[in-house]
Each structure stands twice: as C-alpha cells, then as structure tokens.
C-alpha cells in the first residue's frame, strides 16, 4: 500500500505499525483490509477465517479505537508508545482467542486476557441481558483462535 504523502500524519503512522504487526500475526488465518475514511482517519479491519473467532476493527479517530467484534467491546487507547503496545496486545490476544463476553447489567462485558496474564475489560452497551434482577438466557461466549 502506498500512502499519499499529504495524508501521513501521526495517526496514520500508528495505524501503519499496527497493520504490519497484525498481518504478521494473522498470516493466512484471516484477512486484513484497510480503508480510507477521511483525512488522517483510516480503518483497519481484521476478519478471521473461522466463524467462531472474533473480528477486530481499529479506527484512527481522536484516540485509537480498538473494537473487538461487531457492536461490542470498544477499547480506547492513546497515540503514544503505551497505547500502541496496548492496541497490539489486544489484537494479539483476540487473534489467539483469549476473549470472553459476559452478560452484565450494562449489556455485555468483554474481557480480554493479554499474553502477560493481565485482563482488560470494557462494556458493550446493548440490550441488558440482566433486567430487574432476572437473568435472561444469554450465555457467556468464549471465542476461539483464528
């Protein structure tokens, strides 16, 4: 991919780094596509070849937004070394299948177990699976590796 030199800002350079890394990790177990949304704003989409694995979308907005799956877990990280490391760790853990969705009061809690054993969670605000003290029949979902 050749970048337009007038568009190469810090956000796109960070996305370049993440794109190279995710292509290395995914290999032929999925597809990686990058689309241009606007000036200094691109989207990187990683689709697994296995239907029971979790997709990844990374958007270069005001903060780096790492979305795991459709309409679910959103992790917002900064455009510094720590943010790039966290985005990379989230991608690698998702590709390895270390991601679980738990029903909660707020919708779904998405938990990712990183390679170093730490866990990161976020909430996907959706129709709450737990309503008025009664749990709906929403199973805990465990995803597999790509």
């Amino acid at each position: 991919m050749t970048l337009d030199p007038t568009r190469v800002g810090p956000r796109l350079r960070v996305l370049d780094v993440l794109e190279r890394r995710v292509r290395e990790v995914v290999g032929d177990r999925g597809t990686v596509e990058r689309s241009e949304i606007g000036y200094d704003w691109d989207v990187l989409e990683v689709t697994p070849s296995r239907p029971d694995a979790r997709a990844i979308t990374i958007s270069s907005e005001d903060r780096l937004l790492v979305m795991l799956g459709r309409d679910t877990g959103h992790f917002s990280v900064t455009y510094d070394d720590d943010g790039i490391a966290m985005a990379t760790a989230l991608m690698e853990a998702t590709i390895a299948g270390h991601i679980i969705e738990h029903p909660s009061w707020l919708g779904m809690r998405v938990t990712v177990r990183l390679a170093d054993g730490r866990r990161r969670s976020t909430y996907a605000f959706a129709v709450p699976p737990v309503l008025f003290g009664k749990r709906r029949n929403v199973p805990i979902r465990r995803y597999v590796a790509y």
Side-chain angles (χ1 to χ4, degrees):
M1 170 181 193
T2 305
L3 292 175
D4 179 355
T6 61
R7 292 186 65 240
V8 181
R11 294 178 187 180
L12 295 181
R13 284 192 291 270
V14 166
L15 215 56
D16 291 340
V17 170
L18 294 175
E19 180 180 7
R20 280 192 298 274
R21 180 63 186 145
V22 77
R23 285 186 188 280
E24 289 172 9
V25 176
V26 169
D28 62 352
R29 296 176 292 163
T31 59
V32 179
E33 295 179 14
R34 184 164 171 179
S35 3
E36 179 183 327
I37 302 298
Y39 175 78
D40 210 23
W41 182 19
D42 283 9
V43 174
L44 183 63
E45 294 178 291
V46 185
T47 307
S49 55
R50 296 179 68 177
D52 50 350
R54 192 65 177 244
I56 304 167
T57 304
I58 301 173
S59 177
S60 60
E61 298 178 25
D62 59 334
R63 292 173 61 95
L64 196 60
L65 191 61
V66 180
M67 297 167 274
L68 307 177
R70 187 186 322 179
D71 303 325
T72 54
H74 293 62
F75 292 87
S76 178
V77 297
T78 56
Y79 285 101
D80 57 12
D81 291 341
D82 292 338
I84 295 169
M86 179 54 67
T88 303
L90 289 167
M91 287 186 321
E92 290 174 352
T94 302
I95 292 166
H98 300 295
I99 183 167
I100 300 173
E101 286 181 345
H102 303 270
S104 75
W105 284 98
L106 298 174
M108 283 293 208
R109 185 180 76 214
V110 178
T111 302
V112 180
R113 183 173 40 93
L114 305 178
D116 63 4
R118 293 180 297 161
R119 295 180 188 275
R120 292 293 179 257
S121 295
T122 189
Y123 285 92
F125 299 100
V127 176
V130 180
L131 222 32
F132 305 111
K134 295 182 180 179
R135 181 183 169 128
R136 291 163 118 199
N137 293 327
V138 178
I140 293 174
R141 289 188 213 143
R142 298 178 191 279
Y143 292 89
V144 299
Y146 278 37

